[in-house]
Amino acid sequence: MTSTARSAAEFVPAGADLAALRSAACGCRGCDLYQGAIQTVFGEGSPDARVMMVGEQPGDQEDRKGHPFVGPAGRLLDKALAEANIDRGQVYVTNAVKHFKFTERGKRRIHQTPKRTEVLACLPWLEAELSRVKPDLVVCLGAVAAKALMGSSFKLTEHRGEVLLREDYRLIVTVHPSAVLRAPDRDAAYREFVDDLVSVREAMK
Ligand code: URA
Ligand code: SF4
């Protein structure tokens, strides 16, 4: 028996530029995550960016505002990028999954990690972004993004900070900024995160 997994593929318009991709993504029904979230949060940044940063999925604030990395994790990322001397104008920021997945606890919406099937369903959007932006360097923020691009057996801890060669770009994996916020020793975790971004800046040369 063959079963066709649902995916974003049928919603991705062939030959579309980034702006057209972004508007098409608003209507994506490639998995069930669109049902609970407020809106699709597509990637943002210069179409000529040399670096693409890939997070996991939008959080509560990103879902409300419609922009990636505008909540607490985004503020930490911005601060760390500045400290590593990376110009935000050279960075395109996106997520492996474009809709917020959560459970409700009272009035709060608590983040839930997307399932592998949801990450795979959403991958056509990330692939389309990669093929339009054509970054030299891709930075995976956390294991979900890393496994989306490197396969489910990829171990972030074994390759953190290394420059990995892919066919069309180089790739560096680091932790997710939310993991820095949750770390028991937040200052140390933050410094290690900035160190990884310094490796990113060096790889941009
Ligand atoms: N975490 C992510 O992975 N992406 C966002 O856009 C915000 C928080
Ligand atoms: Fe489409 Fe991705 Fe949203 Fe699922 S999470 S509905 S695949 S945009």
Side-chain angles (χ1 to χ4, degrees):
M1 207 178 78
T2 54
S3 69
T4 314
R6 286 174 65 201
S7 113
E10 65 182 283
F11 298 91
V12 180
D17 65 9
L18 264 184
L21 286 174
R22 179 174 294 111
S23 42
C26 296
C28 185
R29 306 280 185 264
C31 74
D32 289 336
L33 294 184
Y34 74 91
Q35 291 176 355
I38 297 168
Q39 57 190 315
T40 305
V41 179
F42 205 69
E44 284 181 2
S46 162
D48 303 319
R50 295 178 55 210
V51 180
M52 185 181 290
M53 300 216 158
V54 185
E56 181 195 276
Q57 59 163 337
D60 175 70
Q61 294 197 34
E62 288 77 14
D63 183 44
R64 294 178 195 281
K65 294 177 181 153
H67 303 288
F69 283 106
V70 290
R75 282 192 289 279
L76 185 131
L77 177 62
D78 283 345
K79 183 165 173 261
L81 283 171
E83 237 166 276
N85 250 317
I86 296 176
D87 175 5
R88 280 294 257 116
Q90 292 208 358
V91 181
Y92 181 94
V93 179
T94 192
N95 284 298
V97 170
K98 279 21 179 197
H99 274 109
F100 178 36
K101 181 174 183 178
F102 59 92
T103 48
E104 271 165 313
R105 202 170 298 158
K107 280 193 198 148
R108 292 182 62 211
R109 303 192 302 168
I110 312 294
H111 160 277
Q112 276 194 308
T113 303
K115 289 189 289 202
R116 180 77 185 155
T117 49
E118 292 156 344
V119 174
L120 291 178
C122 213
L123 197 54
W125 291 120
L126 180 59
E127 286 169 343
E129 289 174 295
L130 284 165
S131 73
R132 302 314 187 277
V133 178
K134 295 189 173 61
D136 298 329
L137 195 60
V138 173
V139 182
C140 291
L141 302 170
V144 170
K147 286 172 190 257
L149 290 176
M150 298 297 290
S152 58
S153 56
F154 183 82
K155 295 219 166 39
L156 187 157
T157 47
E158 285 174 14
H159 298 287
R160 179 173 180 179
E162 279 172 30
V163 181
L164 305 167
L165 297 179
R166 307 283 286 158
E167 204 171 311
D168 298 321
Y169 49 80
R170 289 165 300 146
L171 185 141
I172 295 185
V173 298
T174 181
V175 294
H176 193 283
S178 298
V180 176
L181 291 171
R182 284 193 310 265
D185 186 346
R186 194 156 145 178
D187 289 344
Y190 179 72
R191 278 193 302 277
E192 284 168 19
F193 184 56
V194 172
D195 283 348
D196 287 346
L197 294 181
V198 169
S199 306
V200 168
R201 199 221 323 122
E202 282 165 359
M204 285 166 72
K205 284 178 191 152

